């Protein structure tokens, strides 16, 4: 992504214009790689996000913030102790490099005013957040770097802070354009212009270098030897002006399918008609929008790992058990042959010699009276052999009844576990996961933790309004599905669920009116979205009145049976109006 030095310069300017002089009211650490500073500014409260995540390192004001853990991590506690209540007095950037410094004026334990600096290094997988005192000594860092990780630059408490290694690039804000062009010409003539720009200019990303090359070369050879110098001078002057005055325009580049591809501080034209450009009012809004959806899914993926592992292992265990039981059940299909052997031995006891290993007898159960060879145990009497066949028959008969019941229960349990796994995969926040854990604890899949703090109240069902005014509610988990269908809904309300696909219950509330076809169609699309098939098309959704839905005694949460239903085939849709 294109969060380069010049882009960071724009963000630094944006933060400086809003938050300089702001007080730190609170500090959060939602996860091990992100920090959120709550600031009281002259223009109201702001939340400043500092992220050192490898796939989305950034600094920006954020609107939506990740959920916070019940107990703050030690690094967060240290920040609160050192910087809590501090005043932001300066925001600095090292040239056009991807390192930004936040200087806070704080009061220490002795009541003295001291300066504490938070350094945010935006460097992909090497991104870090470091706390430095007024003498330039590291207090601590989000990611400690010792000798086992790097021999060049250590990041440990009580060591002097050192800037990341410089690559001897030109800071275009301070340099003359002629010097930049001169250095470009001294590179290999066969090198492409975009790679040469990337090697020479500090703080520019590959997409910016490709854009300059695209505008300069006009479709001709992209090697340095063929560069149109006048045009290159013009484009570099334009880049210098944007960087110097922070006059860029934040924009996101979208693919044809609507997925965000990249972002920049200047219009990107190199992709032609294959992309679309969306402009934003601020750089913080751009980054918040660009990363919010992707990061929220990643956070939920990490937080739900333990549940996913538990449910996956449980599902595999049940599936293995079912497989063995079905093999045993198949073996029970031959139990009638055991009874026949017992009957034939009982009828022919007088013909069987003690110690014989087998006997050939006429099978009077066969219309042709064919001869049947029956295997015997020579160590026991013929009568005992007959009784053994009867016992094996009875054992197989009992086993068939038990196995049939166990397989039925196992299949029901497997469906339940898979439905919970689907709910976990679709969970949107930690409160959803807490409710799922509570459900699994009640069902005996998890042990209740002693001394655990009281869980937050459950979130309400998803609520939508159809285009013609009907209220639609959708359950978030199995327990909520039961409550929604069996307690909240009336008998004349409409119940919807994906056909033979795990998903949430959806209810259209009639409220004394006849439910329209439009409301049913829209609710079906919503039900399809809140299911395992949300990324599919032509998803079958069953619908019927709530009075035709019932819950079998002893069944797992979310499990119901229904009759008098119809089926719609729809494309999933994430709601109409929330």
């Amino acid at each position: 992504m294109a969060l380069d030095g010049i882009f960071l310069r724009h963000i630094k300017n944006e933060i400086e214009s809003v938050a300089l002089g702001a007080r730190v009211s609170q500090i959060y650490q939602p996860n091990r790689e992100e920090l959120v500073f709550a600031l009281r500014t002259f223009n109201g409260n702001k939340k400043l996000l500092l992220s050192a995540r490898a796939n989305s390192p950034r600094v920006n004001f954020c609107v939506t913030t990740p959920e916070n853990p019940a107990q703050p991590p030690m690094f967060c506690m240290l920040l609160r102790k050192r910087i809590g209540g501090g005043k932001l007095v300066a925001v600095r950037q090292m040239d056009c490099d991807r390192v930004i410094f936040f200087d806070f004026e704080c009061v220490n334990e002795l009541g003295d005013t001291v300066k504490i600096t938070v350094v945010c290094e935006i460097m992909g997988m090497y991104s870090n957040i470091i706390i430095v005192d007024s003498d330039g000594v590291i207090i601590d860092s989000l990611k400690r770097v010792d000798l086992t990780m790097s021999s060049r630059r250590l990041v440990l408490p009580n060591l002097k802070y050192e800037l990341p290694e410089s690559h001897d690039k030109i800071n275009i804000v301070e340099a003359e354009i002629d010097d930049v062009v001169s250095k470009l010409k001294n590179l290999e003539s066969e090198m492409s212009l975009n790679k040469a720009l990337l090697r020479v200019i500090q703080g520019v990303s590959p997409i910016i270098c490709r854009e300059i090359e695209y505008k300069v070369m006009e479709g001709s050879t992209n090697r340095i030897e063929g560069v149109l110098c006048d045009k290159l001078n013009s484009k570099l002057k334009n880049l210098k002006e944007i960087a110097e005055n922070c006059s860029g325009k934040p924009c996101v580049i979208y693919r044809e399918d609507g997925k965000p591809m990249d972002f920049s501080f200047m219009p990107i034209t190199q992709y032609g008609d294959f992309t679309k450009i969306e402009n934003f009012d601020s750089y913080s809004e751009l980054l918040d929008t660009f990363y919010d959806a992707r990061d929220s899914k990643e956070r939920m993926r990490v937080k739900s790992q333990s549940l996913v592992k538990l449910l996956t292992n449980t599902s595999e265990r049940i599936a293995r058990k079912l497989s063995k039981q079905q093999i045993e059940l198949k073996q029970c299909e031959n139990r009638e042959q055991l009874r026949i052997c017992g009957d034939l031995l009982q009828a022919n006891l007088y013909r069987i010699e003690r110690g014989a290993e087998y006997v050939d007898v006429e099978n009077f159960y066969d219309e042709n009276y064919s001869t049947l060879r029956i295997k015997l145990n020579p160590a026991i009497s013929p009568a005992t052999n007959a009784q053994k066949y009867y016992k094996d028959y009875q054992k197989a008969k009992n086993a068939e009844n038990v196995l049939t019941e166990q397989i039925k229960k196992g299949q029901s349990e497997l469906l339940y576990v898979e439905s919970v796994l689907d709910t976990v995969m679709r969970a949107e926040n930690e409160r959803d996961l807490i409710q799922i854990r509570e459900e699994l604890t009640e069902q005996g899949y998890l042990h209740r933790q002693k001394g655990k703090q009281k869980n937050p109240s459950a979130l309400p069902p998803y609520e939508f309004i159809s285009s013609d005014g009907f209220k639609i509610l959708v359950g978030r988990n199995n327990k909520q599905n039961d409550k929604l269908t069996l307690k909240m809904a009336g008998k004349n309300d409409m119940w919807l669920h994906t056909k033979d696909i795990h998903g949430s219950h959806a209810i259209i509330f009639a409220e004394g009116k006849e439910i329209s076809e439009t409301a049913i169609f829209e609710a079906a699309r919503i039900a399809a979205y809140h299911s395992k098939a949300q990324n599919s098309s032509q998803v079958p959704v069953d619908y019927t009145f709530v009075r035709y839905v019932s819950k079998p005694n002893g069944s797992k949460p979310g499990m119901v049976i229904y009759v008098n239903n119809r089926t719609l085939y729809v494309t999933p849709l994430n709601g109409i109006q929330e």
Side-chain angles (χ1 to χ4, degrees), residues 524-551:
R525 296 188 70 184
I526 294 170
Y529 182 84
H530 290 89
S531 77
K532 196 173 183 178
Q534 66 174 217
N535 296 318
S536 305
S537 59
Q538 291 299 299
V539 179
V541 178
D542 287 341
Y543 65 97
T544 187
F545 287 107
V546 171
R547 60 175 173 268
Y548 297 127
V549 182
S550 60
K551 187 173 184 66

Side-chain angles (χ1 to χ4, degrees), residues 187-233:
L187 297 175
E188 301 172 20
S189 60
E190 292 294 320
M191 182 180 290
S192 63
L193 177 58
N194 73 82
K195 289 183 178 179
L197 291 167
L198 193 63
R199 180 177 293 187
V200 169
I201 303 175
Q202 184 187 59
V204 289
S205 59
I207 191 173
I208 299 299
C209 296
R210 292 196 303 270
E211 184 66 17
I212 294 173
E213 178 187 78
Y214 175 76
K215 291 180 176 179
V216 169
M217 305 312 294
E218 296 181 334
S220 62
T221 175
N222 66 346
R223 295 194 300 272
I224 295 175
E225 62 181 0
V227 169
L228 304 172
C229 290
D230 290 343
K231 201 154 191 176
L232 177 60
N233 267 278

Side-chain angles (χ1 to χ4, degrees), residues 426-439:
R426 292 187 287 108
E428 294 182 350
N429 51 62
E430 195 164 5
R431 286 173 71 182
D432 284 344
L433 293 180
I434 289 172
Q435 294 305 310
I436 294 170
R437 285 193 180 93
E438 185 68 23
E439 177 185 334

Side-chain angles (χ1 to χ4, degrees), residues 359-527:
V359 64
D360 293 324
V361 296
E362 293 81 13
N363 183 4
F364 48 73
Y365 286 102
D366 183 12
E367 60 182 12
N368 297 321
Y369 282 87
S370 61
T371 300
L372 178 66
R373 175 166 288 187
I374 302 175
K375 187 177 179 181
L376 302 173
N377 183 353
I380 59 178
S381 68
T384 307
N385 269 293
Q387 291 304 313
K388 186 177 185 304
Y389 273 105
Y390 284 136
K391 286 180 181 178
D392 288 345
Y393 163 74
Q394 193 60 44
K395 185 179 178 181
K397 184 178 179 181
N398 292 339
E400 183 181 41
N401 294 334
V402 172
L403 286 170
T404 301
E405 184 63 27
Q406 287 181 342
I407 288 172
K408 184 179 178 182
K409 288 181 179 179
Q411 289 172 336
S412 176
E413 184 180 12
L414 184 61
L415 283 173
Y416 170 71
V417 171
E418 288 177 346
S419 73
V420 179
L421 180 59
D422 170 61
T423 307
V424 171
M425 301 303 287
R426 292 187 287 108
E428 294 182 350
N429 51 62
E430 195 164 5
R431 286 173 71 182
D432 284 344
L433 293 180
I434 289 172
Q435 294 305 310
I436 294 170
R437 285 193 180 93
E438 185 68 23
E439 177 185 334
L440 290 172
T441 302
E442 291 175 2
Q443 296 301 314
Y445 293 97
L446 285 173
H447 297 294
R448 192 174 297 278
Q449 296 181 5
K450 294 182 179 180
K452 190 177 179 182
Q453 292 184 350
K454 186 178 179 181
N455 289 330
S457 58
L459 290 168
Y462 298 106
E463 183 171 341
F464 306 91
I465 303 296
S466 71
S467 57
D468 52 359
F470 285 91
K471 182 170 75 171
I472 302 166
L473 295 185
V474 180
R476 291 176 178 268
N477 51 58
N478 285 318
K479 287 181 66 178
Q480 199 170 82
N481 286 337
D482 278 354
K483 183 178 179 182
L484 183 60
T485 300
L486 305 173
K487 295 183 178 180
M488 295 176 65
K491 64 180 182 179
N492 293 322
D493 296 333
M494 189 68 71
W495 178 90
L496 303 94
H497 191 280
T498 44
K499 183 181 180 67
D500 300 326
I501 300 171
H502 297 301
S504 297
H505 295 196
I507 300 292
I508 308 173
F509 287 85
E511 297 176 337
K513 298 179 288 185
E514 183 178 350
I515 298 173
S516 67
E517 293 294 328
T518 299
I520 294 172
F521 178 73
E522 291 174 350
R525 296 188 70 184
I526 294 170

Side-chain angles (χ1 to χ4, degrees), residues 97-108:
D97 212 346
R98 291 176 296 169
V99 181
I100 190 167
F101 302 83
F102 296 93
D103 294 331
F104 293 92
E105 194 177 80
C106 312
V107 178
N108 65 14

Side-chain angles (χ1 to χ4, degrees), residues 263-281:
F263 55 82
S264 176
F265 56 83
M266 59 187 286
I268 302 297
T269 59
Q270 59 191 271
Y271 301 109
D273 296 332
F274 295 102
T275 58
K276 294 180 180 178
I277 305 294
E278 181 183 0
N279 295 313
F280 285 81
D281 294 331

Side-chain angles (χ1 to χ4, degrees), residues 31-35 50-58 120-129 142-143:
N31 53 63
R32 63 178 184 175
E33 295 180 319
E34 289 183 327
L35 293 168
L50 280 66
S51 173
R53 295 167 65 90
N55 64 343
S56 58
R58 65 191 191 277
C120 194
E121 299 177 352
I122 311 294
M123 297 179 177
M125 64 182 295
Y126 301 107
S127 299
N128 205 349
I129 299 172
L142 201 63
K143 302 175 185 177

